[in-house]
Amino acid sequence: MLFSSKNRNRLVGIDIGTTAAKLIELSRVGRAIRVDHYSYEPIAPGLIIEHQIKDIEQVGAAVQRLLARSGTKLKRAAGCVSSTNVISKGITVQSDIGEDELDALVEVEADRVVPYALDDVNIDYVNLGKSPQGDGEDQLQLVVCRKSVVESLAAVMEEADLEPAAVDVDHFALARVNSFVSESEMGSGKNKTAALMDFGFNTSRLLVFHDNRIIYTRENPYGGRQLIDSISQKYGLPPQDAAHALRNNELADTFKNDVLKPFVKTLMQEILRTLQFFYSSSTHNKVDKFLITGGCAQIGNIDKFIEKRIEVPTAILNPFAATRLGPKVDQARFRRDIPSLGVAAGLALRGVE
Ligand SMILES: Nc1ncnc2c1ncn2[C@@H]1O[C@H](COP(=O)(O)OP(=O)(O)OP(=O)(O)O)[C@@H](O)[C@H]1O
Ligand SMILES: [Mg+2]
């Protein structure tokens, strides 16, 4: 986490993506977790470019609408920056290293990898656990992000009258969901290797977990943008209308054959290529499970297509398989949107940790 306040109260998770913001609020009811609030609000094209917020006022207004629609009363929020805006590096340290020594080491390592002055960046690290190689050593994942990126996100939250309680990296939000579901049917479980792909608008992100620890990440500049562009061209619609028509199933019958089919074909090639990159850069030559999230996971039967193509058991990530739904949640909309909610769920889980 790149930033966090000390106050460990409840919070809402807000994933501000290029095309839409998504909100989830969770609570604990006894031993169970319940979804109390959920909402989705489109973001107009051009307000977020290459995962950087270009218009704080307008994105803030969208987050205000998101909050109003959700009905939440909470004022603390967890958000995230895109992994494409983060430089990360794995380092190994002695497990018994002192706090001050570790802080100093982290600064030295950060200075090596970032092309900016250390005053201009936020630095954080996550302990990934014992190093497989050495005795008494831990593996750390160091993450560095330009302060301006974190500050824009905080400014959007403040514009919407929210207290920015935590700023995460989308990878870590997804890793939290992976841990959350790992014991369920959905998850990969102990000693298993699972790949999770987030197909957003701009970017597809692959995370590979082994034993529920991130062992590989990769971002590709490929996502739903290509589908929206094809719909725009074919039906002469501005991108926002194309996205609305897709989301609400309002496209002509020709859509499936003429637009969706070619897009899914390229999507499959992208998945295969990305998995090949992983295999060629690691000692693994298979994954036990493939999970998919992001807007493109809403494409009908996409999990079946992928499974057939890559010959790996595949599922749409459902962070909520074992959670209850509160009375304020619009069930039909929520169920339709579950495939898009991986990152928002990971952020919301911070509120029930
Ligand atoms: N049935 C569908 N409903 C909504 N979006 C869909 C559907 N099928 C495919 N998509 C694609 O998913 C995209 C939105 O995905 P998502 O909400 O994950 O993106 P984002 O989080 O805004 O983007 P990014 O993560 O790249 O910033 C849409 O632009 C569209 O191309
Ligand atoms: Mg996204």
Side-chain angles (χ1 to χ4, degrees):
M1 189 192 1
L2 290 157
F3 164 83
S4 149
S5 73
K6 294 267 181 289
N7 190 351
R8 287 189 153 248
N9 287 334
R10 297 210 12 231
L11 50 75
V12 285
I14 300 185
D15 168 22
I16 304 175
T18 310
T19 60
K22 300 110 186 169
L23 176 150
I24 300 279
E25 181 185 324
L26 300 173
S27 65
R28 271 189 190 280
V29 184
R31 293 183 66 193
I33 304 257
R34 187 176 70 189
V35 182
D36 285 338
H37 294 278
Y38 153 73
S39 57
Y40 177 105
E41 177 67 30
I43 305 264
L47 300 185
I48 299 177
I49 298 173
E50 288 175 5
H51 304 289
Q52 301 202 30
I53 297 166
K54 297 292 174 194
D55 188 329
I56 287 170
E57 224 169 275
Q58 298 256 13
V59 178
V63 173
Q64 266 167 7
R65 292 192 293 277
L66 179 82
L67 288 166
R69 187 166 294 163
S70 75
T72 181
K73 299 272 185 301
L74 297 185
K75 287 286 172 201
R76 301 176 74 247
C80 68
V81 300
S82 167
S83 41
T84 51
N85 285 326
V86 164
I87 299 173
S88 65
K89 185 188 182 194
I91 57 173
T92 307
V93 298
Q94 291 297 323
S95 302
D96 57 1
I97 189 169
E99 210 171 300
D100 289 348
E101 210 185 330
L102 179 58
D103 286 347
L105 180 73
V106 161
E107 280 214 356
V108 170
E109 291 292 343
D111 202 24
R112 285 205 181 129
V113 290
V114 294
Y116 317 108
L118 282 189
D119 281 349
D120 294 338
V121 296
N122 287 44
I123 308 170
D124 196 19
Y125 54 87
V126 189
N127 194 324
L128 299 175
K130 296 273 167 248
S131 163
Q133 276 90 33
D135 273 349
E137 289 188 331
D138 284 1
Q139 279 183 312
L140 301 189
Q141 177 92 14
L142 186 67
V143 289
V144 185
C145 182
R146 262 183 305 146
K147 266 191 184 144
S148 59
V149 174
V150 179
E151 281 167 2
S152 306
L153 180 61
V156 162
M157 301 275 196
E158 278 157 13
E159 185 77 24
D161 266 341
L162 286 169
E163 179 198 335
V167 175
D168 228 324
V169 180
D170 53 13
H171 277 169
F172 299 140
L174 289 171
R176 201 170 294 118
V177 177
N178 181 66
S179 300
F180 183 63
V181 301
S182 67
E183 299 308 321
S184 70
E185 209 181 304
M186 162 95 18
S188 51
K190 274 230 153 285
N191 295 318
K192 293 276 167 51
T193 309
L196 167 58
M197 205 150 185
D198 175 13
F199 269 107
F201 179 71
N202 253 336
T203 313
S204 61
R205 311 171 179 84
L206 176 77
L207 281 96
V208 184
F209 303 94
H210 183 72
D211 224 357
N212 293 326
R213 274 158 52 165
I214 300 177
I215 56 165
Y216 181 83
T217 63
R218 186 181 172 89
E219 287 90 30
N220 289 325
Y222 181 85
R225 175 194 291 275
Q226 278 81 351
L227 180 59
I228 298 296
D229 287 351
S230 306
I231 297 171
S232 289
Q233 269 171 22
K234 169 104 182 151
Y235 303 110
L237 293 170
Q240 224 170 342
D241 294 355
H244 183 272
L246 172 66
R247 188 167 151 73
N248 294 291
N249 256 326
E250 290 166 0
L251 288 160
D253 292 345
T254 49
F255 164 68
K256 274 200 174 143
N257 244 319
D258 297 358
V259 183
L260 190 60
K261 229 175 167 178
F263 174 74
V264 169
K265 200 170 164 196
T266 329
L267 193 77
M268 294 304 149
Q269 285 159 358
E270 201 61 32
I271 293 174
L272 280 172
R273 213 166 58 94
T274 310
L275 280 176
Q276 281 310 328
F277 273 119
F278 163 62
Y279 294 140
S280 60
S281 70
S282 82
T283 52
H284 297 261
N285 55 13
K286 73 169 182 80
V287 294
D288 299 295
K289 182 112 197 172
F290 190 87
L291 295 168
I292 170 167
T293 185
C296 294
Q298 291 199 14
I299 296 170
N301 289 325
I302 193 75
D303 48 340
K304 305 280 179 310
F305 289 121
I306 298 173
E307 181 162 311
K308 200 163 164 214
R309 189 69 207 269
I310 66 175
E311 297 178 338
V312 173
T314 299
I316 292 161
L317 178 71
N318 181 0
F320 313 102
T323 58
R324 299 186 194 167
L325 280 192
K328 304 251 170 65
V329 177
D330 176 336
Q331 297 218 12
R333 275 174 190 270
F334 179 74
R335 291 199 192 287
R336 181 189 69 181
D337 286 341
I338 281 176
S340 302
L341 299 177
V343 173
L347 297 171
L349 278 169
R350 296 193 63 94
V352 290
E353 275 174 338

